[in-house]
Amino acid sequence: MSDSFYKSGEPIADAKAPKGPIEDRWTTRKFEAKQVNPANKRKKKIIIIGTGLAGGSAGATLGEAGYHVQQFCFQDSPRRAHSIAAQGGINAAKNYRNDGDSVYRLFYETVKGGDFRSRESNVYRLADISRQIIDQCVAQGVPFAREYGGLLDNRSFGGTQVSRTFYARGQTGQQLLLGAYQALMRQVDAGNVELYPRHEMLDLIMEDGRARGVVVRNLINGEIKHYTADAVVLASGGYGNVYFLSTNAMGSNVTASWRAHRHGALFANPCYTQIHPTCIPVSGDHQSKLTLMSESLRNDGRVWVPKKAGDTRKPYDIPEDERDYYLERIYPSFGNLVPRDIASRAAKNVCDEGRGVGPGGLGVYLDFADAIERLGRDKVEAKYGNLFEMYERITGENPYDTPMRIYPAVHYTMGGLWVDYDLESTIPGLFVIGEANFSDHGANRLGASALMQGLADGYFVLPNTINDYIARNALPPVDEQNIAAAEERVTSRIDRLLSIDGDRSVDSFHRELGHIMWEYCGMERTEEGLRKALELIPALREEFWTRVKVTGTGEELNQQLEKAGRVADFFELAELMVIDALHRTESCGGHFRAESQDEDGEAKRDDDNFGYVAAWEWAGEGEQPVLHKEELNFEYVHPTQRSYK
């Protein structure tokens, strides 16, 4: 049985979420929260790890509020945070198109899209705040696309039948990040924010069970330093790079979250991984990452494969009646705009049938011929020109003349550190925002909702809830012994990695781990495969600690050392992901168990036995993790079989 891999612990509950009508809960919580007067804010220090949309907006807002913020990122500039790679857009319930959208509809579709595995209170707050985000960003000068008359334009995205996605061509993340960055740098100039680029958090400083600071490594000269504060905020992104090949930036990692997890922060739903359906297919073993093509392309592009297996003709040589527009055939109501998990599995299924296209048969076509004929090339180019150009540069194929080839790839992680309604983890004083937490998306994230959550957390939620914690906790200076203990943990781990002097590169271990995860804990999971992974991962981790070779020293720029520490944490995370996937014998959202599907091959949930958040506790080296369950209650959106047909 899968429970032989874990222990059961006490249930966990979100004690901060207010009662009452769902539309009033956020207003109630803000009113109940204690405030910090402006003069006292200047005496309080907050540490933020990460400068993406969540971290950058939080730093700018908390600095503006008067707090003393110290902010860290491992990139050479906050502008290089991975949020810059987001392409398609940001959701908001503005109903500019007068097509029936509303806060409630966005709330409903987000809960449904997450396959009924998210909290209603959190999701409603997100939908409500979405409207403020657009106003904030427009005021900052974010150049959203506009219609001919000057009004903000919208487009549709997967999992919905209304147009609520605001966008800036195919570079929405970049433009939103520049808005947050400018606001952040204003606070740097004002002296309210101290910015530390090229610094990586390697441990958490704890005192009396609270988060009181961090230990970081200067990535240029290797210097280990500590910083203490009244509260710590993790905005360090997701953990998709555990798969090695993903759409994430190569530096994206789980280390900040995992260090916190080892100190008592519960890790929630780690097996919920989103596979994005529109990525450029793998082209060979030389690749170290994959490239995302925006989901917005599915607005006008039609997905198809040949009807006959083994058809190797060029796409323009295959007649219309010999093409299978399979998403339109299987899901006539939503067609090419079904949610990501469904589109990804459908692509895998047709490729498994031998109808895939391109090298190795691991691809499907995304065809714009109809859109170009209907709208004209100029209109298509205005919407997607930079995406088409990027595709052509990578593949050498012109998508105006030849359909794009796409295939699913790891993109986003819905799991993350468990947080309550205030975005506070199970470690008092440690707040987690953006993709680093688990809070809003359930088992599957709707497209264009990542930017929405990141900015909601950073601009609007955290600045209200962190006040309450700081106002209620007057903390003394941190004991030097606790600081020294944290620094010792960091230096001893670095010394251990450098002393192994083995014969295998860090990347070789990372690639092998990624292959195991993709094969056995990827788009489709089985009990047999997950058990196999639980044999392979610990063995590979043991080999890593005896055979990895990290060249150079710790007192210099050493990217091999950086990667080695991150991969070491990926090994531990990977094992927990597999245990989580093995214990959850249902299928839901991005977690598809082959043993749990209906007669049509769709995911089959088990609400009676798995209608909860799985929050995992670190029990120590070599010990089984402890499972704490947070039961999910649905008062407004009652779980049904999710259908997009």
Side-chain angles (χ1 to χ4, degrees):
M1 294 292 292
S2 60
D3 59 6
S4 64
F5 297 108
Y6 68 90
K7 299 174 183 176
S8 295
E10 293 297 313
I12 189 171
D14 177 10
K16 303 276 183 64
K19 305 298 182 183
I22 197 167
E23 60 271 16
D24 297 334
R25 291 176 187 174
W26 178 227
T27 301
T28 300
R29 179 65 190 127
K30 286 189 290 184
F31 178 74
E32 290 176 346
K34 279 183 166 291
Q35 297 295 305
V36 181
N37 81 57
N40 285 342
K41 284 179 181 176
R42 291 192 292 271
K43 305 171 188 175
K44 301 297 183 179
K45 190 181 295 183
I46 298 172
I47 286 172
I48 301 177
I49 305 299
T51 57
L53 283 181
S57 58
T61 309
L62 292 172
E64 184 79 43
Y67 286 110
H68 181 191
V69 177
Q70 292 180 312
Q71 193 148 6
F72 302 83
C73 65
F74 61 75
Q75 297 91 349
D76 57 359
S77 165
R79 297 191 309 276
R80 294 188 181 274
H82 183 57
S83 300
I84 202 170
Q87 298 168 343
I90 177 171
N91 287 331
K94 285 287 198 180
N95 194 30
Y96 284 171
R97 289 289 185 89
N98 196 28
D99 55 3
D101 200 11
S102 64
V103 169
Y104 196 89
R105 184 177 293 277
L106 176 53
F107 156 65
Y108 173 87
E109 291 178 346
T110 302
V111 174
K112 175 186 174 184
D115 222 349
F116 306 96
R117 290 295 177 263
S118 53
R119 291 185 192 137
E120 286 188 333
S121 293
N122 287 69
V123 176
Y124 191 91
R125 175 175 65 185
L126 176 65
D128 191 22
I129 288 173
S130 70
R131 300 171 300 173
Q132 298 171 254
I133 297 171
I134 302 304
D135 296 340
Q136 170 94 359
C137 294
V138 169
Q140 289 175 335
V142 173
F144 287 122
R146 294 180 180 268
E147 295 178 330
Y148 179 77
L151 299 176
L152 295 181
D153 197 10
N154 294 121
R155 55 190 179 199
S156 53
F157 248 67
T160 181
Q161 292 174 312
V162 298
S163 294
R164 66 162 66 98
T165 304
F166 295 78
Y167 66 99
R169 294 189 78 189
Q171 50 186 241
T172 313
Q174 178 179 355
Q175 298 303 330
L176 291 172
L177 185 63
L178 288 173
Y181 167 75
Q182 290 173 118
L184 178 64
M185 295 309 292
R186 179 174 178 271
Q187 295 307 311
V188 172
D189 185 64
N192 296 329
V193 176
E194 295 177 43
L195 190 60
Y196 296 90
R198 302 300 289 167
H199 283 72
E200 182 171 25
M201 172 187 158
L202 295 181
D203 214 333
L204 197 61
I205 297 173
M206 299 287 294
E207 183 166 88
D208 297 328
R210 298 180 183 275
R212 291 301 312 275
V214 296
V215 177
V216 300
R217 179 174 181 267
N218 183 318
L219 299 181
I220 301 299
N221 59 24
E223 182 182 14
I224 303 297
K225 292 191 69 175
H226 69 268
Y227 297 84
T228 59
D230 295 276
V232 177
V233 179
L234 297 187
S236 48
Y239 51 87
N241 274 353
V242 69
Y243 290 87
F244 187 70
L245 287 179
S246 80
T247 66
N248 290 187
M250 290 178 64
S252 298
N253 64 84
V254 77
T255 289
S257 293
W258 197 254
R259 298 291 100 194
H261 175 58
R262 289 173 64 108
H263 284 293
L266 300 187
F267 208 112
N269 299 334
C271 78
Y272 287 164
T273 305
Q274 180 161 85
I275 313 294
H276 198 293
T278 55
C279 299
I280 297 178
V282 176
S283 59
D285 291 340
H286 63 281
Q287 283 180 278
S288 54
K289 78 175 300 294
L290 297 175
T291 303
L292 169 70
M293 299 308 296
S294 170
E295 183 177 356
S296 63
L297 294 169
R298 289 199 280 147
N299 276 303
D300 291 303
R302 300 180 70 192
V303 179
W304 66 274
V305 292
K307 287 184 176 179
K308 190 170 65 174
D311 191 336
T312 59
R313 288 178 291 175
K314 300 292 185 184
Y316 40 75
D317 291 332
I318 300 177
E320 192 73 14
D321 61 358
E322 296 181 32
R323 302 179 178 186
D324 180 13
Y325 295 90
Y326 59 89
L327 291 178
E328 298 171 32
R329 172 175 56 82
I330 302 171
Y331 307 101
S333 292
F334 282 74
N336 296 298
L337 291 177
V338 293
R340 292 173 175 179
D341 58 325
I342 291 174
S344 294
R345 284 199 300 277
K348 179 182 185 297
N349 290 340
V350 295
C351 290
D352 288 348
E353 293 168 3
R355 297 193 287 145
V357 301
L362 291 177
V364 300
Y365 289 127
L366 183 60
D367 196 337
F368 288 85
D370 284 359
I372 291 171
E373 183 177 348
R374 184 180 75 254
L375 302 171
R377 174 167 170 159
D378 290 349
K379 291 284 179 58
V380 172
E381 191 169 352
K383 283 184 174 182
Y384 311 114
N386 60 316
L387 297 172
F388 279 37
E389 180 182 347
M390 181 170 68
Y391 180 87
E392 185 172 10
R393 286 186 176 184
I394 292 171
T395 66
E397 299 172 0
N398 183 346
Y400 293 105
D401 301 327
T402 303
M404 289 183 178
R405 288 179 295 106
I406 57 170
Y407 192 70
V410 173
H411 178 56
Y412 187 91
T413 49
M414 286 75 67
L417 293 184
W418 186 93
V419 292
D420 60 19
Y421 191 69
D422 283 2
L423 305 182
E424 187 175 14
S425 74
T426 46
I427 296 177
L430 179 70
F431 293 78
V432 190
I433 61 177
E435 191 179 355
N437 74 31
F438 89 103
S439 66
D440 292 353
H441 304 298
N444 175 60
R445 176 176 67 80
L446 292 183
S449 287
L451 307 186
M452 176 175 64
Q453 186 213 344
L455 292 182
D457 286 357
Y459 280 137
F460 299 105
V461 181
L462 179 76
N464 282 287
T465 61
I466 203 169
N467 288 335
D468 186 66
Y469 174 81
I470 290 175
R472 293 177 188 276
N473 295 280
L475 302 173
V478 182
D479 190 299
E480 290 294 331
Q481 288 185 325
N482 294 321
I483 295 171
E487 290 184 332
E488 169 59 26
R489 288 193 298 269
V490 169
T491 55
S492 62
R493 192 165 189 257
I494 289 173
D495 291 343
R496 184 184 176 192
L497 287 167
L498 290 169
S499 66
I500 297 170
D501 196 28
D503 59 356
R504 281 192 63 178
S505 70
V506 177
D507 282 344
S508 73
F509 280 105
H510 193 182
R511 185 183 293 275
E512 187 172 346
L513 173 64
H515 177 77
I516 293 169
M517 291 299 292
W518 180 250
E519 185 70 20
Y520 301 115
C521 197
M523 269 192 285
E524 182 173 299
R525 295 104 186 251
T526 65
E527 180 174 352
E528 180 184 6
L530 292 167
R531 288 182 178 277
K532 179 70 172 176
L534 281 183
E535 295 173 2
L536 296 173
I537 293 169
L540 187 61
R541 181 175 67 239
E542 186 176 344
E543 185 180 347
F544 172 86
W545 284 107
T546 57
R547 290 188 59 191
V548 72
K549 186 175 185 67
V550 181
T551 57
T553 70
E555 291 77 41
E556 61 181 342
L557 173 65
N558 189 339
Q559 292 184 321
Q560 289 301 308
L561 178 60
E562 294 171 35
K563 288 193 287 187
R566 296 166 186 171
V567 172
D569 289 329
F570 278 142
F571 273 116
E572 294 178 358
L573 166 68
E575 189 168 353
L576 183 62
M577 290 174 68
V578 173
I579 290 172
D580 188 35
L582 184 56
H583 108 277
R584 191 173 285 274
T585 56
E586 66 166 352
S587 290
C588 59
H591 168 64
F592 187 79
R593 285 289 295 268
E595 303 92 343
S596 183
Q597 54 184 301
D598 63 22
E599 59 275 8
D600 295 326
E602 302 290 350
K604 188 176 181 181
R605 291 196 326 271
D606 181 354
D607 295 327
D608 291 338
N609 293 305
F610 293 98
Y612 59 78
V613 175
W616 296 91
E617 177 188 352
W618 171 265
E621 295 281 357
E623 298 296 322
Q624 294 177 346
V626 180
L627 172 62
H628 301 270
K629 299 178 182 178
E630 180 200 338
E631 294 295 331
L632 293 169
N633 299 307
F634 296 94
E635 302 175 60
Y636 294 86
V637 183
H638 298 289
T640 58
Q641 181 61 33
R642 193 169 55 131
S643 173
Y644 293 90
K645 295 182 177 181

